[in-house]
Amino acid sequence: MSEICKPEDGVIKFSPYVNNTVPQNCVFVSPEGAWMPMPEDGKWMVTPFAYDFWWKENEKWYDGVTIHAGLNPFSRYDVEGSEFIPFLEAVSVNTFRKFPIGKARHTILCQPNGKIMLDGIVLRRDEDKFHALCWLDPQMINGTVGNKFHFKSEYTGTKRFFYQLCGDKSLEVIEKACHEDMHDVKFMWAKDAKIAGHDVYILRTGMSGTLAYEVHGMMEDALDVYNELLRVGEEYGIQQLGRFGYINQHCEGSIPQVAEHFHTCIPGFYTPMTFGSLPRGHELEYRSPFDCGWGNLVKFNHDFTGKEALEKEAAGPHRDAVHLIWNKEDVAKITLASLDPELRVDPIDMCCDYDFVRNCNSVHIDAVYAGDKMIGASSGRMTSAKTREMISFASLDTEYCTDGKEVEVLWGNPGTTQMRVRATVKKFPYFTEKRNNNFDLETIPHYKPE
């Protein structure tokens, strides 16, 4: 930890959401959900950067179970009011005409040009009560539609916690911690429960694409719940997930992320730096829902910000989302070339394009070519610990979005010796078996009281 940022200086504080007393957790980073000091005391929050080697952490969200607390505190809001649903329809590409209590919905808000401003989950907790689990400041966005909707909105990022458990064993850990059979919780639905005597709710969702659940509760109960999940998860080999390993979940899980795969254009929010070979200022620094493979969520049966632009995009040639499988021989050539002091080739990190200096304040985006024609952009590059393939998320012209199509990624920032990497297109999602939305829960034993 640097000399200018020591805990005793009162500048930073350890996260109350995880137990940071484990001796080997000596490297810390700000939580992914916190790019600013905490409002109540002006201090910066830190959380463990890693608990083990990244590939060991990443392997566990397939056949085992991981627990991640690094999104706390997050930009989330408790919202109350009968006009919140009409408000959502006015600002979101989604429609909310069927939105039962207990249901969560991936919600996307766009700028007038159709580019994504922000996205996240909105959960309906009661008839007129909602949790907005995203950078959705309803009062700020309300101004974009003339302040004609009225509801109460409270920032609760430091009042509530949530933990993410991913992997085949996640349901067994959840059930044992709750002392309850939770097989009835459907994908993107929530259910109230208790853990360590504290009220929580369980939401079946996650970032890895595998079977996954989130545990939500009040901050004063956070450590009790976290420690209980670790205790019951021990027999299942539960793996704590640090920031470095967590970053890879989004790409491998086929869930593009604002500020990781593309820039956000929230009014007044930071503008991340761009790295990679994509020409600076290119439109693909920002993405539309179609660019991210979310075209099926865009409903034109209501008026919303960006509708006209998205209608034109849907009607004409546009891009779609795919994965790219990077050629291993070409990756090895880059590694070898980066060791040549004369070539000045940008090194290629095996884990991912993590920015150790700016944390989440930059996005690495590379241009993708078919011959001399630029056909899209690649971001979120990572190595899969399970398949040992280097992969990335890409937005490509639809004519190239076919399984097995060969394209090339241009590696290297402007001003360096750039090299091309052959890559093979793979349609979303990266893996199709045992995904959270269609996982056969009957393959997992039901909870039985001890």
Side-chain angles (χ1 to χ4, degrees), residues 145-180:
V145 288
N147 292 316
K148 63 181 179 180
F149 301 101
H150 302 282
F151 46 82
K152 296 179 181 178
S153 170
E154 179 188 5
Y155 170 74
T156 53
T158 54
K159 293 183 178 181
R160 297 183 180 275
F161 73 86
F162 73 107
Y163 303 130
Q164 297 171 309
L165 284 82
C166 297
D168 281 8
K169 301 297 182 181
S170 58
L171 176 57
E172 292 170 85
V173 173
I174 291 291
E175 290 189 337
K176 192 166 185 178
C178 295
H179 302 284
E180 183 180 352

Side-chain angles (χ1 to χ4, degrees), residues 28 61 69 73 82 87 99 118-119 121 127 151 163 198 258 352 405 438:
F28 295 88
W61 66 60
S82 60
F87 160 75
F99 194 26
L118 55 88
D119 75 294
I121 288 177
E127 183 64 28
F151 46 82
Y163 303 130
H198 302 299
V258 167
C352 59
K405 197 80 170 179
N438 57 22

Side-chain angles (χ1 to χ4, degrees), residues 223-251:
L223 269 180
D224 285 349
V225 174
Y226 188 79
N227 289 333
E228 179 65 5
L229 289 167
L230 287 182
R231 187 188 70 81
V232 302
E234 186 174 0
E235 70 174 278
Y236 302 98
I238 194 169
Q239 171 66 58
Q240 291 168 283
L241 190 61
R243 175 64 170 280
F244 201 34
Y246 177 72
I247 287 292
N248 287 351
Q249 280 196 341
H250 308 121
C251 185

Side-chain angles (χ1 to χ4, degrees), residues 137-374:
D137 180 343
Q139 303 300 0
M140 176 187 75
I141 307 300
N142 210 10
T144 68
V145 288
N147 292 316
K148 63 181 179 180
F149 301 101
H150 302 282
F151 46 82
K152 296 179 181 178
S153 170
E154 179 188 5
Y155 170 74
T156 53
T158 54
K159 293 183 178 181
R160 297 183 180 275
F161 73 86
F162 73 107
Y163 303 130
Q164 297 171 309
L165 284 82
C166 297
D168 281 8
K169 301 297 182 181
S170 58
L171 176 57
E172 292 170 85
V173 173
I174 291 291
E175 290 189 337
K176 192 166 185 178
C178 295
H179 302 284
E180 183 180 352
D181 190 325
M182 307 292 283
H183 277 61
D184 59 331
V185 180
K186 299 178 181 179
F187 178 62
M188 294 294 280
W189 285 79
K191 181 178 180 178
D192 291 323
K194 283 185 179 290
I195 295 180
H198 302 299
D199 291 330
V200 297
Y201 67 80
I202 310 300
L203 175 62
R204 185 176 162 188
T205 189
M207 291 292 103
S208 64
T210 61
L211 182 64
Y213 296 85
E214 291 181 350
V215 179
H216 292 252
M218 302 305 295
M219 194 273 279
E220 57 267 25
D221 305 327
L223 269 180
D224 285 349
V225 174
Y226 188 79
N227 289 333
E228 179 65 5
L229 289 167
L230 287 182
R231 187 188 70 81
V232 302
E234 186 174 0
E235 70 174 278
Y236 302 98
I238 194 169
Q239 171 66 58
Q240 291 168 283
L241 190 61
R243 175 64 170 280
F244 201 34
Y246 177 72
I247 287 292
N248 287 351
Q249 280 196 341
H250 308 121
C251 185
E252 198 167 32
S254 306
I255 306 172
Q257 293 290 297
V258 167
E260 183 177 333
H261 295 105
F262 54 94
H263 289 332
T264 176
C265 47
I266 303 175
F269 204 61
Y270 70 87
T271 301
M273 295 184 67
T274 299
F275 291 91
S277 65
L278 185 75
R280 303 301 181 257
H282 194 280
E283 66 161 333
L284 276 170
E285 288 186 349
Y286 303 90
R287 309 290 169 89
S288 74
F290 295 99
D291 294 333
C292 292
W294 296 334
N296 63 309
L297 298 179
V298 181
K299 307 299 181 184
F300 295 118
N301 59 356
H302 66 293
D303 290 328
F304 59 88
T305 305
K307 178 180 180 179
E308 183 178 352
L310 290 175
E311 283 179 326
K312 291 180 180 178
E313 185 173 354
H318 59 267
R319 290 177 289 264
D320 201 352
V322 296
H323 282 294
L324 299 181
I325 313 298
W326 293 38
N327 182 278
K328 295 179 181 180
E329 292 181 357
D330 289 354
V331 171
K333 288 178 182 178
I334 291 175
T335 300
L336 184 61
S338 69
L339 299 176
D340 187 328
E342 301 298 325
L343 291 177
R344 312 307 299 174
V345 173
D346 283 342
I348 188 166
D349 197 326
M350 289 305 295
C351 178
C352 59
D353 292 317
Y354 189 86
D355 188 339
F356 293 92
V357 177
R358 296 164 190 82
N359 212 14
C360 260
N361 204 17
S362 69
V363 183
H364 186 116
I365 310 176
D366 292 317
V368 181
Y369 286 86
D372 295 331
K373 180 185 178 183
M374 182 178 164

Side-chain angles (χ1 to χ4, degrees), residues 24-187:
Q24 65 264 31
N25 291 344
C26 57
V27 178
F28 295 88
V29 68
S30 70
E32 184 170 347
W35 293 279
M36 62 192 72
M38 296 301 97
E40 69 273 11
D41 56 16
K43 294 183 179 180
W44 291 83
M45 192 78 75
V46 291
T47 190
F49 180 72
Y51 291 89
D52 208 330
F53 294 110
W54 64 268
W55 61 86
K56 291 185 178 180
E57 293 187 17
N58 289 12
E59 284 175 334
K60 280 299 185 86
W61 66 60
Y62 282 101
D63 304 322
V65 57
T66 60
I67 182 170
H68 179 248
L71 287 182
N72 296 289
F74 197 62
S75 183
R76 60 177 291 163
Y77 296 83
D78 286 10
V79 185
E80 184 173 357
S82 60
E83 295 186 19
F84 186 57
I85 287 183
F87 160 75
L88 286 175
E89 286 231 347
V91 298
S92 169
V93 305
N94 312 71
T95 183
F96 291 84
R97 295 170 192 182
K98 292 183 180 180
F99 194 26
I101 295 171
K103 185 76 172 70
R105 182 155 296 162
H106 179 201
T107 306
I108 304 169
L109 282 69
C110 291
Q111 291 277 54
N113 63 1
K115 300 299 184 181
I116 296 171
M117 180 165 61
L118 55 88
D119 75 294
I121 288 177
V122 174
L123 170 66
R124 190 170 196 172
R125 291 288 289 151
D126 208 334
E127 183 64 28
D128 294 327
K129 294 182 179 180
F130 308 84
H131 288 169
L133 309 175
C134 57
W135 297 324
L136 173 58
D137 180 343
Q139 303 300 0
M140 176 187 75
I141 307 300
N142 210 10
T144 68
V145 288
N147 292 316
K148 63 181 179 180
F149 301 101
H150 302 282
F151 46 82
K152 296 179 181 178
S153 170
E154 179 188 5
Y155 170 74
T156 53
T158 54
K159 293 183 178 181
R160 297 183 180 275
F161 73 86
F162 73 107
Y163 303 130
Q164 297 171 309
L165 284 82
C166 297
D168 281 8
K169 301 297 182 181
S170 58
L171 176 57
E172 292 170 85
V173 173
I174 291 291
E175 290 189 337
K176 192 166 185 178
C178 295
H179 302 284
E180 183 180 352
D181 190 325
M182 307 292 283
H183 277 61
D184 59 331
V185 180
K186 299 178 181 179
F187 178 62

